[in-house]
Amino acid sequence: MAAFFAVALVALACPLMAFDLGQSTRCVTIPNQMKVCKDVGYSEMRLPLLQTGCHPQAQAFLCSLIAPVCLDTFIQPCRSLCVAVRDSCAPVLACQGHPWPETLDCDRFPAEEDMCLSPHVKFSHFAKDLPKPACQHCPSVDDAPLLIMSFLFSTAVTAKLHRLRLPSGEPEFEIEGRVEFIRQGPLLPYDTRHLLHQWLLINCRCASALVRPGRSQLYVLTGSVQPDGTLALSRLFPWHRKDANIALAIRKWKHHRC
């Protein structure tokens, strides 16, 4: 995983792909192989780390290294930008078994007073009020749907998880269709589908056990939003449409919810 970090490391190590940090650079077109650096949206390269949303400026930080802005001199990212991205994204890498790359040691970047790419102020309070995904222990998967009524969860939704079948064998997940609320809690209707997608990408080891490659599975996902704003999933219940018990349990839960 972490495909984009691998690209960044290759670029920093290879003088043909990267730019000489000590010399002025001439203007060249960003090559097509760097599609992720051509716009702010998701690219066709399917880059799991950026899709996790671990930091709003992760893309700007990495692209400033492998496709730097066209000025007379090489403009590096500021140390403060590196630290901000590292502090948010290193836990995501660690969750997936990868350390923060030594090549991206923040001490190698200039301090704020030097000419460098600094964090945008508008991102300093980015989405503080929105629930966030986080690395966690894998939630339990329970096939006894009536147990749902025995636990008090602040949030419960139904969502169909889909696992793509990729030639590389790396897991990639999607949320198919709508996310339906059983108990909404602090989750937001316009953000929950994206939030769950990010959770799957961050906790890909847990997610890989939930769905086989090329398949989809409908789940009831229960959990809570922690005091720090992170979503913690506690129990997952696979729901097969012919399972009348889980449908009955959901109806009862909706009827008795606060």
Side-chain angles (χ1 to χ4, degrees):
M1 70 82 37
F4 196 66
F5 273 106
V7 173
L9 293 177
V10 171
L12 290 172
C14 177
L16 293 178
M17 290 182 63
F19 294 82
D20 187 344
L21 300 184
Q23 302 291 332
S24 296
T25 60
R26 61 188 179 87
C27 295
V28 294
T29 303
I30 297 176
N32 289 332
Q33 293 90 328
M34 296 182 184
K35 289 182 180 178
V36 68
C37 297
K38 284 182 171 289
D39 62 281
V40 255
Y42 295 145
S43 77
E44 295 178 356
M45 294 175 66
R46 296 191 179 278
L47 305 177
L49 188 68
L50 294 184
Q51 288 180 328
T52 64
C54 59
H55 192 278
Q57 287 188 271
Q59 179 174 337
F61 168 64
L62 294 172
C63 288
S64 70
L65 297 173
I66 62 175
V69 61
C70 186
L71 295 175
D72 290 339
T73 58
F74 185 91
I75 305 299
Q76 300 185 68
C78 294
R79 189 177 305 154
S80 58
L81 176 58
C82 176
V83 169
V85 173
R86 180 199 64 195
D87 289 353
S88 293
C89 295
V92 175
L93 287 174
C95 188
Q96 300 167 352
H98 300 277
W100 183 257
E102 291 184 8
T103 315
L104 299 180
D105 181 1
C106 295
D107 289 338
R108 70 184 290 269
F109 298 115
E112 201 74 53
E113 60 269 16
D114 298 319
M115 184 179 290
C116 55
L117 182 65
S118 60
H120 290 312
V121 177
K122 69 176 182 178
F123 289 130
S124 60
H125 302 288
F126 179 78
K128 278 194 172 181
D129 296 329
L130 294 179
K132 303 178 293 291
C135 182
Q136 65 165 87
H137 293 296
C138 294
S140 61
V141 179
D142 202 322
D143 286 323
L146 290 179
L147 287 177
I148 297 177
M149 300 298 295
S150 303
F151 297 90
L152 295 177
F153 300 110
S154 63
T155 63
V157 300
T158 62
K160 181 177 285 189
L161 314 184
H162 177 69
R163 181 175 175 181
L164 300 174
R165 190 188 299 273
L166 300 181
S168 64
E170 292 188 358
E172 174 71 15
F173 301 93
E174 294 178 341
I175 304 292
E176 285 189 347
R178 295 175 53 195
V179 172
E180 297 186 5
F181 290 100
I182 302 172
R183 175 172 289 173
Q184 183 171 333
L187 298 181
L188 301 174
Y190 63 85
D191 182 63
T192 300
R193 187 172 183 271
H194 180 59
L195 173 66
L196 292 176
H197 183 224
Q198 291 179 327
W199 187 95
L200 292 172
L201 295 175
I202 291 175
N203 296 278
C204 62
R205 292 183 178 179
C206 301
S208 295
L210 299 176
V211 192
R212 290 180 291 172
R215 303 293 294 273
S216 300
Q217 175 60 54
L218 182 64
Y219 277 94
V220 176
L221 303 98
T222 64
S224 59
V225 175
Q226 304 301 298
D228 64 355
T230 58
L231 172 67
L233 295 183
S234 304
R235 288 191 168 223
L236 277 62
F237 301 86
W239 183 4
H240 304 285
R241 285 297 187 184
K242 295 182 179 179
D243 191 334
N245 288 330
I246 197 167
L248 177 61
I250 289 174
R251 285 198 298 271
K252 288 183 177 179
W253 197 1
K254 285 183 175 181
H255 180 72
H256 289 94
R257 66 185 178 182
C258 296

